[in-house]
Structure formats: structure tokens, C-alpha cells
């Protein structure tokens, strides 16, 4: 229970997750948990070559196997349309012809009475290929190169002249491997048809977007498709698109004339729902002896799919982090026979800032300047590309408070100069930026005679705490205790919300929820204002306060307690009242939005074994107004753990001849576990950002950005070895 005084400070409070109990008791239902009557099971068959054509498929054995309902291949699949994605074009629809463009491409789906029957029958499908020599290497001269497809290359000044005039040059090549999103929850889709009405439970980061994609694929009006995702077991970007297996689950349900459940295996998660593309990045910095960076040249190359599009813009942060007059930032995509990459936590910035911030560290060494001091010397007081002011920026405070908390002053500059017994100790740091997106969003708030407010929006909560934070925002706006508010999401029939991605949902949704709830309060007050019997008689919404479930005139003394929402409904014989709210990023401000952070890492390196341990980590984050420090800190901790994995453990390894992923299991693809993750100290700095009425920026991506370079720079400080290729492994250090 929350008292009135607590309710007054609900936004910004360390509220426990409102959905925590349902998660730990198993009551929360994830997409795979819905057991529909008459449910059948689908299992995918995937190509075992990366390029060519299917010459022959023998499906008779599978079709006649016990329990099998249908086997779908390109020979019997209907034509499906390609959907526009929520962000860019959607993936090509599956099973449309005999071509194979990547290893692990879905080439058939087997539907049976039980999962075991479907899995057994899937193994009976025999495929002969007419194989072609796959394009698997970024340097393959046969591969098509895509120049600035997304229009995100950035230039200013004259880089060649800037470099020519520089007194110090640092030039290096950094590489990052493919890394796979690997949420714990296996992606699942349950599809059922009722005539031409399609209902889908799916692991998506945006039910409204999945609905649009499915509607286009099957040629249905959007109103004929409903997508549900009340809980999603993580996604890290993998759920931002409607992937072919989702379409296949719906197709299987239609062709089997039964509800169908399709759950990807862990191995299939590596080829079916995207991954962070590997990158090769050339970075050249030109500087004066005084530390002023005068030119930055950042060129990145990464693969993309042959018949799909994903472009990870590696230089977005490079363009804005420092006040540098001459800059060239370009990312090229090379079309290969690979599964399509996708957004993975901190897309663009996570690998891009690794290269930039390692290069800055190399420059600091070259100049004999402290790494924090070097960054302060190049601080961008205004947006360096547009010259416009920032809507808010507290990166200086991130450096100062982070360095202070970390004890950066104890660092002795020379590599190998700090030890703990026989272990080498290193301190490293990095800046972080993320260019978040705030898309339009809607919410609807209702309040009935039971005094319970229900607020709805078609958003998702893939883990950051959206249920909790939106409950806080709604309770605060309506003056209700937390337990009198229920926030609901994850249903495409609710008011449309943007994808939970790009660090933008909290800003968009909290603004819409706040607006809907304040509008609902106004509706109640307007109704009561007309009744002489009401203590709110003659009041406007500006004349009242709402707290602990009561609306009171502001001029009232304690003796005039106002009345409850239920009192008003009762007097007017109404069951409930509702109101809608919408939000959009402010366009009237002449300012640039941005999220900033400074990351500090301490590592210990065993000089004999090359083993790296992260001992301490401090993340100082300017995320604007923080609605719940507890869930926000959890998000930064999670992102830091992902960054530790990125720095030291994670790499998706493909066979260079066949394109087959060689380590598609959790025993071979290493994610950071508890033993790899030290105590992480999270500090929030900064002020509410004026881009939205709530003042939120968003912290989902900036959580991981800068972690890997802070660790890599600490490894250099510990060992004197500059490792420019992630992950930093024992083999590289020995
Ligand atoms: Mo984030 S990669 O936009 O889910």
C-alpha cells in the first residue's frame, strides 16, 4: 500500500517491479506459454548450404510420418507479399522460390500433432541442392557494395586538409565480430485463424508493427490481424522485425487448419532473428600537440544480406561526440550469402564507439594526456554537425562524477605500472552517446466504479520495467496509489505505440500515459464541476489536486477533503470514464537530442595466463529524468554485462567455406555470466530533457555503448598490449 505522501513522489521512486511476482511465480505468460485447444506444432527445416538452388525435395516420407498434418515447401506455399518493415523494408517472405541465399534459410516447415512428431518428420525431408560458390568474405570482389544506402554517412569540413595540418596522427584498424542477440527466451509464435481473422502470440518488440507485417504478407486488412505479446523473454533488438518464421507459423496454421505453435531452437536463434554484423573500421585521428582533435576519418565496412537490407551506421556517435571541424564518417555494406543482420543493443554505436574510443585512448597515450582530460579538451558544447544546442547534455558531469566515484585520480599513466600482487591492473574509460528516437505514441486511460484505473497501450516490456514505470507515471498523474492502477500492454488492438527500441519507448509512452491520465482527470473534474453537490463544483482541472484517490480543490483546507473518482461516477450513474493521450517529440525546440555517458573499467590481467577479469565498473549516465532509479540501474547493469560479453567473450563464428555457424549453442557462444560481471556502480546525472513533458531521454542502448572500449583501454593500460580486435581473448594477449 502506498500512502498519499508516497504517492506524491511516485515518479522517480525506487518502485519494485509490479510484474515481478507474476514472473517469479510463473504466472506471466510468454509467447510459447499459450496452450490453445487443438494446438499443432511446427518445426522448421533449414538449408544446409549458403548459396544455390533447391534441385529436389523429397517430402513423401515426412508427409506420411505419424502425426504429420502438412509439409510446406516452396512448391506448395502460396504467394506471400513482402511487408514494409516498421523500420525499413521487411524481410523477404519465405518459401517463395527454389533459391537459397544463406545457410540456415527456412526451406520447409513440418506441422504435426505433437512437437516430437514434427521434429522427427522434419528430419525425413531430403533436399538436393545445386550449390553455388557462396559470397562469404567482405573482400570478395564478386560481392555487391552498397554505398550510403541509409543516407547516414556524415561529412564536414575538409578531412584531408585537417589531417595534413595535424601535428599528431593516430591511424588504426579495429574489428568486431558477429555477435548474436541471444535473449534467453527462445522466439516463439502461436498462430490461429478464425476464418479470415488471424491471432498471433509472438516474441515481438512491437505488436502493431507485427500486425502490419502479417496483414501485408497475407493480403488482409490490419483489422483482421491481432498480435499479442504481454511478456517477451528478452530480445535486444531481435524482435524489431517480423521475421520469416512468424509468417511461416501463420501460414502453417492456415494450411493445417489448426492453431500452430512454432518455437525456434537455440541454434535457429542464430540464423533466424538477426545478429550484430561484424565490422572492419579504419579510424584516423589528427590532433594538435595541445590535444585538440582537428580531423576524424572513420570508415566502416560490414556485411548485409543478399536479398534483405540492414545497415548499421557505425559513425553516428563519431559525428557528434567531439567538437572537431573536419570529419568523414562512412559505412559500407557488402552483400553476402549470410542471414540478415539486425539491430542488437546499441546498434551502430556499440561497435562504432569501440573504434572511436580506443583511438582516442591511443591518441591520449601518444600525447601523454590523461584520457578524461583529452575528452574534456574536445567537448562538444553544441551539436558539432548542425551547430544547434543540445536539448540537454551532462556529459561533463558524467566524466567528473564517474571519475570521482571510480577513483580515476589513482591511475598512474604508464602501461603496466599498476599491480595487485602478481596481477597487472589497468584503468580504462570511454565516452558513450546514443541518438535515440522518440516516435509518436498513444495511450488510453479508464477508471471505473471500483476506483481502479486501467491504462493501455500497444507497447511491449521486453525487460526494462515498462509495466512498472508506466504504472508509476499513471498513478502520479491521477493521484492514485500504485495498487489502484493497472497498466496493460502487448496487444495490437490497444492504442498504437512505437517499437520498444532505439531507446525511445519510455520517453514516448510515459508522455502518452501522462497525457491520457491528466486528460482523464480533466474529464472527471469537468463532470463534477457542474454539480452543486460536488466539492469540485465550479472547478477547472487547474483548480484541483489529486492524491490518494481523491480530487480536492486546491483552495480547500484539510476540512474539505474533496471526493473520489468513484463518488463522481456514482453521482452521475456512470460505470467508467475514459480518455486518450498522445505524444510526439517536440519539434518547436531548436535543439538536438542525445543521450550521453562515461564508462570506467578496472581490469586485472594475469601476466602468465592472459586471463582478463573486469574487477570494477562505473557507468555515469545522462539519461534525462530517471523515472525509477532501481529499474533504470538494472538496465545499465544488464547493458554493462552485455558490454563485458562484447569485449571479452561473445563472437559468432562461421565456417568461411560454407557459411555454417560453428558455435550456435550456449556452451560455445559465451555470454557473460555472474562470475564475469563485477559490482557495477551506476550514477545518473543530468536534468529532465525538454523534448517531452516527462523529461525522459532513454537509456536502453547507452547502457552497452562504451563498455567494450573502456575495457579494451583498461587492458592496454594493464598490459601495454593494444588489442584492436574483439573479443579480447587469452590467445590475443599471450
Ligand atoms: Mo534496441 S537494438 O533498438 O532493441
Amino acid at each position: 500500500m502506498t500512502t498519499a505522501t508516497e504517492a506524491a513522489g511516485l515518479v522517480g521512486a525506487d518502485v519494485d517491479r509490479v510484474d515481478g511476482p507474476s514472473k517469479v511465480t510463473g504466472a506471466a505468460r510468454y509467447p510459447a506459454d499459450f496452450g490453445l485447444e487443438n494446438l499443432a506444432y511446427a518445426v522448421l527445416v533449414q538449408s544446409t548450404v549458403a548459396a544455390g538452388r533447391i534441385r529436389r525435395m523429397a517430402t513423401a516420407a515426412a508427409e506420411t510420418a505419424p502425426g504429420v498434418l502438412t509439409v510446406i515447401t516452396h512448391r506448395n506455399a502460396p504467394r506471400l507479399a513482402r511487408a514494409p518493415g516498421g523500420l525499413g523494408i521487411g524481410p523477404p517472405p519465405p518459401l517463395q522460390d527454389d533459391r537459397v541465399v544463406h545457410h540456415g534459410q527456412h526451406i520447409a516447415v513440418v506441422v504435426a500433432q505433437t512437437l516430437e512428431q514434427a521434429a522427427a518428420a522434419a528430419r525425413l525431408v531430403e533436399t538436393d541442392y545445386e550449390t553455388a560458390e557462396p559470397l562469404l568474405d567482405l573482400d570478395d570482389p564478386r560481392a555487391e557494395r552498397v554505398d550510403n544506402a541509409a543516407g547516414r554517412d556524415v561529412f564536414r569540413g575538409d578531412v584531408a586538409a585537417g589531417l595534413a595540418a595535424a601535428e599528431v596522427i593516430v591511424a588504426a584498424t579495429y574489428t568486431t565480430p558477429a555477435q548474436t542477440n541471444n535473449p534467453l527466451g527462445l522466439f516463439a509464435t502461436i498462430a490461429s485463424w478464425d476464418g479470415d481473422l488471424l491471432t498471433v502470440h509472438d516474441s515481438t518488440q512491437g505488436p502493431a508493427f507485427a500486425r502490419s507485417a502479417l496483414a501485408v504478407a497475407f493480403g488482409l486488412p490490419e483489422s483482421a490481424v491481432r498480435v499479442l505479446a504481454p511478456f517477451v523473454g528478452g530480445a535486444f533488438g531481435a524482435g524489431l522485425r517480423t521475421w520469416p518464421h512468424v509468417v511461416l507459423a501463420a501460414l502453417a496454421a492456415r494450411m493445417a487448419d489448426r492453431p500452430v505453435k512454432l518455437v525456434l531452437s537455440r541454434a535457429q536463434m542464430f540464423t533466424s532473428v538477426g545478429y550484430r554484423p561484424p565490422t572492419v573500421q579504419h579510424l584516423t585521428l589528427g590532433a594538435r600537440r595541445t590535444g585538440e582533435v582537428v580531423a576524424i576519418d572513420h570508415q566502416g565496412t560490414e556485411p548485409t544480406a543478399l536479398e534483405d537490407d540492414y545497415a548499421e551506421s557505425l559513425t553516428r556517435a563519431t559525428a557528434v561526440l567531439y567538437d572537431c571541424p573536419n570529419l568523414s564518417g562512412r559505412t559500407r555494406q557488402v552483400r553476402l550469402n549470410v542471414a540478415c543482420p539486425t539491430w542488437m543493443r546499441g546498434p551502430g554505436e556499440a561497435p562504432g564507439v569501440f573504434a572511436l574510443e580506443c583511438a582516442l585512448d591511443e591518441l591520449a597515450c601518444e600525447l601523454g594526456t590523461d584520457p578524461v582530460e583529452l575528452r574534456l579538451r574536445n567537448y562538444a558544447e553544441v551539436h558539432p554537425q548542425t551547430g544547434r544546442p543540445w536539448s540537454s547534455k551532462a556529459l561533463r558531469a558524467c566524466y567528473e562524477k564517474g571519475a570521482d566515484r571510480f577513483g580515476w585520480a589513482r591511475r598512474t599513466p604508464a602501461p603496466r605500472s599498476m599491480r595487485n600482487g602478481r596481477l597487472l591492473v589497468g584503468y580504462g574509460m570511454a565516452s558513450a552517446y546514443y541518438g535515440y528516437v522518440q516516435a509518436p505514441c498513444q495511450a488510453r486511460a479508464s477508471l471505473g466504479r471500483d476506483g481502479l484505473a486501467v491504462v493501455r497501450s500497444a507497447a511491449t516490456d521486453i525487460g526494462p520495467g515498462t509495466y512498472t514505470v508506466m504504472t508509476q507515471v499513471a498513478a502520479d498523474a491521477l493521484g492514485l496509489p500504485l495498487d489502484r492502477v493497472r497498466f496493460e500492454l502487448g496487444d495490437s488492438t490497444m492504442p498504437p505505440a512505437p517499437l520498444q527500441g532505439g531507446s525511445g519507448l519510455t520517453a514516448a509512452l510515459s508522455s502518452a500515459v501522462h497525457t491520457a491520465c491528466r486528460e482523464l482527470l480533466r474529464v472527471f473534474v469537468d463532470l463534477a464541476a457542474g454539480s452543486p453537490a460536488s466539492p469540485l463544483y465550479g472547478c477547472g482541472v487547474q483548480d484541483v489536486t489529486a492524491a490518494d484517490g481523491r480530487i480536492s480543490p486546491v483552495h480547500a483546507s484539510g476540512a474539505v477533503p474533496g471526493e473520489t473518482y468513484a463518488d463522481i461516477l456514482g453521482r452521475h450513474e456512470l460505470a467508467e470514464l475514459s480518455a486518450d493521450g498522445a505524444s510526439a517529440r517536440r519539434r518547436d525546440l531548436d535543439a538536438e537530442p542525445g543521450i550521453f555517458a562515461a564508462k570506467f573499467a578496472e581490469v586485472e590481467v594475469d601476466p602468465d595466463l592472459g586471463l582478463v577479469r573486469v574487477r570494477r565498473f562505473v557507468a555515469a549516465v545522462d539519461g534525462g529524468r530517471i523515472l525509477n532509479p532501481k529499474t533504470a540501474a538494472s538496465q545499465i547493469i544488464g547493458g554493462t554485462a552485455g558490454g563485458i560479453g562484447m569485449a571479452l567473450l561473445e563472437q559468432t563464428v562461421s565456417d568461411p567455406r560454407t557459411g555454417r555457424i560453428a558455435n550456435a549453442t550456449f556452451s560455445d557462444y559465451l555470454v557473460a555470466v555472474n562470475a564475469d560481471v563485477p559490482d557495477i556502480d551506476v550514477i545518473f546525472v543530468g536534468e529532465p530533457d525538454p523534448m517531452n513533458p516527462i523529461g525522459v531521454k532513454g537509456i536502453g542502448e547507452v547502457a552497452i555503448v562504451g563498455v567494450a572500449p573502456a575495457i579494451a583501454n583498461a587492458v592496454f593500460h594493464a598490459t601495454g598490449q593494444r588489442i584492436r580486435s574483439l573479443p579480447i581473448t587469452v590467445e590475443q594477449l599471450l
Side-chain angles (χ1 to χ4, degrees), residues 205 236-237 240 343-347 500-502 701:
Q205 288 171 251
F236 309 122
L240 294 171
W343 301 273
M344 176 170 159
R345 203 160 195 170
Q500 183 163 56
E701 329 274 341

Side-chain angles (χ1 to χ4, degrees), residues 636-659:
I636 301 296
I637 290 167
T640 307
I644 291 171
M646 181 181 175
L648 301 175
L649 299 164
E650 294 185 50
Q651 56 179 327
T652 305
V653 180
S654 302
D655 182 327
R657 293 160 303 143
T658 65

Side-chain angles (χ1 to χ4, degrees), residues 40-53:
Y41 296 81
V43 168
L44 297 165
V45 179
Q46 299 183 299
S47 74
T48 55
V49 303
R53 286 180 181 277

Side-chain angles (χ1 to χ4, degrees), residues 282-613:
H282 303 295
L283 219 308
T284 307
L285 299 179
R288 299 219 169 89
R289 279 267 153 227
T290 50
E292 199 183 348
V293 177
V294 293
I296 303 176
D297 186 52
H298 187 173
Q299 314 284 333
T301 306
E302 66 200 13
T304 194
L306 221 54
E307 297 184 358
D308 200 350
D309 277 315
Y310 175 72
E312 174 133 344
S313 179
L314 298 168
T315 64
R316 202 163 36 199
T318 307
V320 301
L321 256 174
Y322 300 109
D323 177 26
C324 168
N326 304 298
L327 179 129
S328 166
R330 305 195 308 168
T331 311
R332 294 289 169 270
Q333 286 81 40
V334 181
R335 289 201 183 278
L336 300 180
N337 287 108
V338 294
C340 195
T342 201
W343 301 273
M344 176 170 159
R345 203 160 195 170
E349 276 85 339
V353 167
F354 165 68
L356 175 69
E357 289 299 292
C358 288
L360 257 286
D361 201 70
E362 299 201 36
L363 178 62
C365 283
E366 188 70 33
L367 295 169
T369 304
D370 178 83
V372 176
E373 176 55 31
L374 179 65
R375 285 158 176 89
L376 287 169
R377 222 169 277 177
N378 292 284
Y379 197 80
E381 301 287 355
V382 296
H383 191 287
Q385 189 71 23
T386 66
R388 304 207 302 171
W390 298 102
S391 57
S392 67
K393 178 177 180 178
L395 180 56
R396 197 185 302 279
C398 293
Y399 293 134
E400 286 165 1
K401 294 218 164 101
D404 189 51
R405 178 75 64 90
F406 184 81
W408 183 256
R410 293 197 301 272
R411 180 181 189 264
T412 53
R416 301 181 77 91
S417 64
M418 295 175 75
R419 283 188 181 255
N420 175 19
R422 50 179 287 279
L423 299 176
L424 298 165
V425 172
Y427 286 8
M429 61 81 57
S431 312
Y433 159 88
Y434 191 77
Y436 73 109
V437 195
Q438 188 190 326
C441 184
Q442 295 176 33
R444 167 160 259 238
S446 306
L447 204 150
R449 290 266 191 117
D450 56 4
L452 185 74
V454 180
V455 186
R456 295 185 175 92
S457 181
T460 57
D461 183 352
I462 60 172
T466 308
Y467 274 112
T468 308
V469 167
M470 296 311 148
T471 304
Q472 290 173 256
V473 170
D476 177 77
L478 288 166
L480 290 172
L482 280 177
D483 64 357
R484 296 282 80 201
V485 175
R486 193 167 73 231
F487 181 74
E488 296 181 346
L489 51 65
D491 183 340
S492 64
T493 63
M494 294 174 177
L499 292 153
Q500 183 163 56
S503 296
L505 185 68
T506 301
L509 184 56
S510 62
S511 298
V513 166
H514 175 82
T515 307
C517 291
R518 295 308 288 186
E519 178 61 15
L520 183 60
L521 175 64
R522 191 191 63 76
V523 167
F524 270 91
V525 172
D526 285 356
L527 188 62
S531 301
S534 169
L536 304 174
Y537 180 61
C539 284
V541 73
Q542 69 284 353
D543 306 320
V544 306
T545 57
D548 205 20
R550 301 188 84 81
I551 311 171
S552 311
V554 279
H555 55 76
S557 67
V560 183
E563 63 182 340
T564 67
Y565 291 95
D567 291 339
I568 298 170
L569 291 172
R571 182 182 308 114
H572 293 270
E573 296 179 2
L574 292 168
E576 68 167 30
L577 285 170
S578 297
D580 296 313
S583 71
R585 180 157 84 78
R586 275 178 71 177
R587 298 281 165 197
D588 57 322
L589 276 186
D590 184 31
E592 300 281 356
I595 307 165
F596 301 92
K599 309 290 176 77
F600 296 83
E602 176 183 327
V603 300
E604 284 177 359
V605 184
D606 186 312
D608 301 318
L609 301 177
L611 209 61
V612 179
R613 288 284 184 204

